[in-house]
Amino acid sequence: PVLWNASVDAKLSDNNSDGIDLPIDPDYRFFTLENLDDYLSLKFEANQGRYGILFDSLRARYQDEISNSFANFNVGTELGFVELSARYQLSSKFELDLIGGVRRCYLDIDWSMQILMLPATAKHYSFHWTDPLIGLRYHYPLSNKWHAWLRGDIGGFNVSTQRLTNFSADMQYMINLHLSLTMGYRYLKIDFKEDDILYDVSLNGLQFGIAVYF
């Protein structure tokens, strides 16, 4: 299980709204724990020699209200993915893995906006898509107890999303042979466009995990 304490930059545009962008906020960032309605993230890995299978998943829903003297804007966004990929260790000397697989994502958006005394406008969008991904992962043992992990991958390639970028850097502490703690940083950016909806979102922040080995 992983707790990703991410902040969010996002923008939603609807070309049907007379060419007006409906931003979550151009400079908007909110702290996950303040606006988090629902969250779950699990990872699993199975290895045999230089080969392995990786599973990663995330479900996070954010809800917030932005108000000023001109307008009131409510937005709820649920973003999630399930990733299944394979790894191959490129060198027996260096623990550098080539990773390739697919990431199944979904995005739900609910928003309502009221300008001055005009009637409120509300919409709901729901999208699901699958993208290929390819990347690298590097493991460097600092000592018997401390290990450093770096991973970066890109996806999309205009198969479904225009671009999906994922990067993480983690420091792992081995408590014993069966349990470890991990703390690090993760960045995820999605550029998604379908029909008249443009959704750009980036999540970045610290993540904490507990790993069980068997």
Side-chain angles (χ1 to χ4, degrees):
V2 179
L3 173 61
W4 185 14
N5 195 17
S7 58
V8 177
D9 292 318
K11 184 175 182 180
L12 165 67
S13 299
D14 183 357
N15 293 334
N16 285 330
S17 300
D18 301 323
I20 301 175
D21 286 347
L22 303 175
I24 293 178
D25 198 311
D27 301 313
Y28 184 49
R29 295 173 64 86
F30 59 80
F31 196 60
T32 297
L33 298 184
E34 294 179 358
N35 300 83
L36 187 65
D37 278 358
D38 194 357
Y39 178 89
L40 177 64
S41 181
L42 295 173
K43 294 184 178 182
F44 177 79
E45 182 172 344
N47 294 299
Q48 178 63 44
R50 299 174 69 171
Y51 299 90
I53 297 175
L54 311 177
F55 172 84
D56 189 10
S57 64
L58 171 71
R59 177 187 177 186
R61 178 172 178 82
Y62 308 95
Q63 187 81 33
D64 202 10
E65 177 179 353
I66 306 168
S67 300
N68 54 42
S69 58
F70 177 72
N72 183 68
F73 184 62
N74 290 274
V75 61
T77 301
E78 183 170 321
L79 172 68
F81 64 80
V82 175
E83 173 198 320
L84 182 63
S85 56
R87 74 160 189 95
Y88 173 72
Q89 187 174 332
L90 296 174
S91 170
S92 58
K93 182 178 179 181
F94 302 102
E95 295 190 46
L96 179 65
D97 297 334
L98 176 65
I99 297 174
V102 294
R103 185 178 284 125
R104 174 70 174 176
C105 303
Y106 74 90
L107 170 66
D108 291 330
I109 305 170
D110 297 282
W111 63 260
S112 64
M113 182 173 64
Q114 184 172 17
I115 301 177
L116 297 177
M117 301 302 293
L118 298 176
T121 302
K123 283 191 177 183
H124 171 77
Y125 305 97
S126 183
F127 305 98
H128 299 78
W129 67 93
T130 303
D131 281 314
L133 67 92
I134 187 170
L136 294 171
R137 186 179 70 169
Y138 179 63
H139 170 223
Y140 184 76
L142 301 170
S143 67
N144 291 334
K145 292 288 188 179
W146 292 95
H147 298 256
W149 295 84
L150 293 174
R151 171 174 170 166
D153 62 74
I154 57 175
F157 310 110
N158 289 317
V159 174
S160 294
T161 55
Q162 294 174 305
R163 183 173 60 255
L164 193 154
T165 306
N166 178 56
F167 170 80
S168 62
D170 296 293
M171 187 66 67
Q172 181 185 37
Y173 177 73
M174 299 295 301
I175 299 175
N176 53 47
L177 293 177
H178 304 288
L179 190 66
S180 73
L181 299 176
T182 302
M183 182 179 72
Y185 172 85
R186 185 174 187 179
Y187 172 84
L188 175 66
K189 180 174 175 59
I190 299 174
D191 296 324
F192 173 77
K193 183 175 182 181
E194 181 170 311
D195 299 328
D196 295 311
I197 300 301
L198 173 65
Y199 187 80
D200 296 327
V201 60
S202 62
L203 299 92
N204 63 94
L206 295 178
Q207 61 179 2
F208 306 89
I210 300 175
V212 179
Y213 300 86
F214 54 91

